[in-house]
Amino acid sequence: GENVEQHPSTLSVQEGDSAVIKCTYSDSASNYFPWYKQELGKGPQLIIDIRSNVGEKKDQRIAVTLNKTAKHFSLHITETQPEDSAVYFCAASSNTNAGKSTFGDGTTLTVKP
Amino acid sequence: DVKVTQSSRYLVKRTGEKVFLECVQDMDHENMFWYRQDPGLGLRLIYFSYDVKMKEKGDIPEGYSVSREKKERFSLILESASTNQTSMYLCASSSHTQGLEQPQHFGDGTRLSIL
């Protein structure tokens, strides 16, 4: 089955700096890669996703890049703000897997004002 | 906006009790999922369902069962609760579009303590 590894497990940055979280996956059939943000006391919420036919996607301060050959994808947050502090999860799934996703173990991002 | 509602935010039960966790989604999604979330272990899939009355085991189904009698409702059952089932439980749903994966929409979780 699919295996997703996420690094780092914790990340602390100063407000205004950039943050990068990286994930690798094992199953070359995976073709959909969402990123979720979980704030304290809430469930994870989708913040951005990318499909395997695209190498990069951007939405304001967040971007995701995908390298299918190396089987890794990354989340980039620029100009970080204290409200970006949360746990971030990457995930991978394929359309042969009945809607199931395999999640990374999460990254706790702290943005210091 | 998709809404996934979990019936309880906090629940305290005793060892050996039968525990029901309920989840309802309002977007007519075919797929529904139950996860448990423990520190350092990410989200682990317990069971999922891709249609009414259909269910499949996830990665950690032992000690749990599920029920999906109606499309909008997916219940997680702890047959005989044990202390190692103390955890945060998250329900999610997603739509099924042929050949095109869709994101999952999560509830806010039920924090279950087994004493």
Side-chain angles (χ1 to χ4, degrees), chain B residues 58-108:
Chain B
D59 301 317
I60 51 163
E62 296 78 19
Y64 303 94
S65 63
V66 290
S67 172
R68 191 157 180 211
E69 297 297 317
K70 292 185 178 181
K71 192 174 185 180
E72 67 270 19
R73 186 179 296 270
F74 193 34
S75 303
L76 180 69
I77 303 155
L78 285 66
E79 298 291 344
S80 177
S82 65
T83 54
N84 62 12
Q85 292 177 310
T86 291
S87 187
M88 170 69 85
Y89 290 87
L90 288 164
C91 175
S93 71
S94 70
S95 63
H96 174 74
T97 306
Q98 192 69 23
L100 200 64
E101 290 303 295
Q102 299 296 327
Q104 295 185 18
H105 299 264
F106 286 85
D108 284 337

Side-chain angles (χ1 to χ4, degrees), chain B:
Chain B
D1 257 4
V2 176
K3 192 159 179 64
V4 178
T5 303
Q6 295 184 231
S7 54
S8 306
R9 291 301 304 274
Y10 301 94
L11 208 52
V12 180
K13 296 291 182 181
R14 296 212 172 270
T15 305
E17 279 191 70
K18 191 168 185 176
V19 181
F20 293 85
L21 302 184
E22 307 287 347
C23 175
V24 176
Q25 50 95 3
D26 66 357
M27 282 300 291
D28 203 37
H29 283 171
E30 291 81 8
N31 303 325
M32 295 190 76
F33 309 85
W34 275 107
Y35 297 90
R36 66 177 280 176
Q37 182 175 21
D38 300 290
L41 297 178
L43 301 173
R44 293 184 291 167
L45 182 65
I46 304 171
Y47 267 97
F48 75 103
S49 168
Y50 52 89
D51 203 350
V52 176
K53 295 194 189 293
M54 305 302 289
K55 60 185 179 186
E56 282 200 25
K57 293 179 180 178
D59 301 317
I60 51 163
E62 296 78 19
Y64 303 94
S65 63
V66 290
S67 172
R68 191 157 180 211
E69 297 297 317
K70 292 185 178 181
K71 192 174 185 180
E72 67 270 19
R73 186 179 296 270
F74 193 34
S75 303
L76 180 69
I77 303 155
L78 285 66
E79 298 291 344
S80 177
S82 65
T83 54
N84 62 12
Q85 292 177 310
T86 291
S87 187
M88 170 69 85
Y89 290 87
L90 288 164
C91 175
S93 71
S94 70
S95 63
H96 174 74
T97 306
Q98 192 69 23
L100 200 64
E101 290 303 295
Q102 299 296 327
Q104 295 185 18
H105 299 264
F106 286 85
D108 284 337
T110 295
R111 187 164 291 283
L112 175 65
S113 296
I114 307 295
L115 305 179

Side-chain angles (χ1 to χ4, degrees), chain A residues 4 9-10 12 14 21 31 48 62 69 78 80 84 97 103 109:
Chain A
V4 175
S9 56
T10 60
S12 181
Q14 287 293 135
I21 303 170
N31 57 5
I48 196 166
I62 59 173
T69 305
T78 58
T80 53
D84 294 328
N97 216 8
F103 288 83
L109 173 65

Side-chain angles (χ1 to χ4, degrees), chain A residues 26-73:
Chain A
S26 61
D27 187 354
S28 55
S30 290
N31 57 5
Y32 177 63
F33 307 93
W35 284 89
Y36 296 87
K37 175 184 181 183
Q38 185 177 25
E39 296 175 336
L40 208 58
K42 301 269 189 181
Q45 284 200 307
L46 178 77
I47 54 170
I48 196 166
D49 57 8
I50 191 166
R51 298 187 188 273
S52 59
N53 59 348
V54 174
E56 184 174 356
K57 185 176 178 181
K58 199 170 180 180
D59 182 5
Q60 299 183 351
R61 294 186 299 107
I62 59 173
V64 57
T65 58
L66 171 66
N67 183 327
K68 282 190 298 183
T69 305
K71 295 201 193 79
H72 68 69
F73 57 112

